[in-house]
């Protein structure tokens, strides 16, 4: 796993705050290592959700919703459209007390887009 690039507080809505992080990985062990490294930062460890996805060139899509049902698939779809393999994207959300409904999926997509535009 390469070092994670973190873009902190990139989006806020109704009290919820979003951040996005990512880095190169080659396999599931790399994914686990990257998530563990991210959560060494206590603010990320305390986040409500650390949703992630990667398209591994050897074994295809892996994703984790971390309680934000369907959010990992949103990231997978963006990675597929971009044709980006072996690059883990993690969208972090700190819940602000108000449910966002379908807006939360648009926010995940916006975070991934911001990451891709600034980092990749």
């Amino acid at each position: 796993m390469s070092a994670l690039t973190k873009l902190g507080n990139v989006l806020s809505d109704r009290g919820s705050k979003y951040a996005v992080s990512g880095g190169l990985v080659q396999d599931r062990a790399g994914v686990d290592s990257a998530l563990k490294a991210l959560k060494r930062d206590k603010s990320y460890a305390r986040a409500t959700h650390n949703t992630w996805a990667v398209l591994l060139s050897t074994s295809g899509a892996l994703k984790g919703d971390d309680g934000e049902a369907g959010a990992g698939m949103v990231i997978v779809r963006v990675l597929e459209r971009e044709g980006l393999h072996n690059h883990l994207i993690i969208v972090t959300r700190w819940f602000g007390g108000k449910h966002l409904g379908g807006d939360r999926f648009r926010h995940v997509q916006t975070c991934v887009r911001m990451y891709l535009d600034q980092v990749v």
Side-chain angles (χ1 to χ4, degrees):
M1 178 206 80
S2 67
L4 281 176
T5 299
K6 291 193 259 186
L7 303 180
N9 200 9
V10 296
L11 192 143
S12 296
D13 181 11
R14 290 168 266 177
S16 285
K17 291 181 173 50
Y18 287 83
V20 62
S21 311
L24 295 173
V25 297
Q26 298 300 317
D27 52 26
R28 179 59 200 242
V31 170
D32 293 341
S33 175
L35 290 168
K36 186 175 179 181
L38 181 70
K39 291 176 184 178
R40 278 192 207 107
D41 181 326
K42 290 197 185 322
S43 66
Y44 286 84
R46 287 192 302 266
T48 313
H49 309 286
N50 283 295
T51 305
W52 59 271
V54 62
L55 295 178
L56 295 174
S57 51
T58 55
S59 57
L62 295 176
K63 62 183 174 57
D65 290 335
D66 193 26
E68 187 82 285
M73 196 64 204
V74 172
I75 302 169
V76 167
R77 286 190 199 113
V78 175
L79 292 172
E80 287 174 341
R81 272 197 308 273
E82 294 294 317
L84 185 61
H85 289 81
N86 299 330
H87 203 107
L88 173 68
I89 308 273
I90 307 161
V91 176
T92 301
R93 177 183 178 195
W94 292 269
F95 182 65
K98 293 193 173 125
H99 292 283
L100 304 180
D103 288 342
R104 69 188 194 279
F105 298 117
R106 282 188 286 286
H107 295 335
V108 168
Q109 192 168 1
T110 298
C111 288
V112 174
R113 186 80 259 147
M114 291 171 94
Y115 178 87
L116 295 175
D117 290 348
Q118 291 183 37
V119 178
V120 177

